[in-house]
Amino acid sequence: MANVVSQGAQERGTRTLRAEGALRAIAADQESPERVRRVLEQALVFAGASFVAVYTPSEDGELLCLMESAGVPRTLYGLRDSYPRAGRSPVAEAHRGGRPVSLGPAELAEHAQARRVPSRDFFVTALPVHGDGGGCLLAVSERPEGFDTDDRKCLELVSEAIAFPAPAAPVEGGELPPGAFSLAMDTGRVRVGDDLLDLFGLDPVEFDGRVETLLSLTVPEDLPSLMSVVEADHMSIGDRELEFRVLQPTGPPKWLRLRGRSAPGRPEAGRVPAAAPPRGTPAARRSPAA
């Protein structure tokens, strides 16, 4: 029996060490647009979570808004894309109190929102994310016992690895990161880096700053999905990712992959990481996800 217990403890310790190693490897690339998602995915691997997300304060500080998530659809658990910062949700209470908050099926059933939840037998743990930007990590487990001690330790490691500086407010005329754009939903004016304009075949000097100019270069069949990013009445908090084609002066259309994010009180922001080759070529089939 002693050997079995010792072996179990060693395996649990090894799991924590492996989580630390994986998170250190991800942290080595702080500039990667996929960093937060990749960090969250470690909670699925090492803590046995079925869903995990990070919420951050809105610009006015009234809400905690979904920034990134991984795992099964959050709607299975009735989770929202934003919560009042002063409310009674696990996200809000963990953020305000600066300590983890865990709820089991019995406690979750007391919430009115639980009546609309397809899945009932699950556990929720929320942990504060400490850093200049603040925030909260939310994880869900469907295992009968929920998160055990070692699972919670791995979740703590994930919450520490997520910590990020508060996003700086966009500066008019300031430089954008490579492959990024910023769209003002109220005016339709778009700021686009020279590298991105080059993908559209536009001269930075001649570009008029109108989102309609970019849309006019899109293959008509791809416009409906692209409009979901640039029309205010189609917006929802969180990430959107899609592929679309851009017409070229000569040759076939160019495939681009776009990933965008909207947040309350902020302009739409996004990134077109790379131009993909025309579909059907071996290179296009091997192209990694953005």
Side-chain angles (χ1 to χ4, degrees), residues 82-94:
S82 65
Y83 291 96
R85 199 171 180 179
R88 295 181 55 250
S89 67
V91 171
E93 292 184 352

Side-chain angles (χ1 to χ4, degrees), residues 154-175:
C154 289
L155 290 177
E156 290 174 4
L157 293 173
V158 170
S159 69
E160 292 169 2
I162 286 175
F164 46 85
V171 178
E172 187 66 27
E175 274 191 34

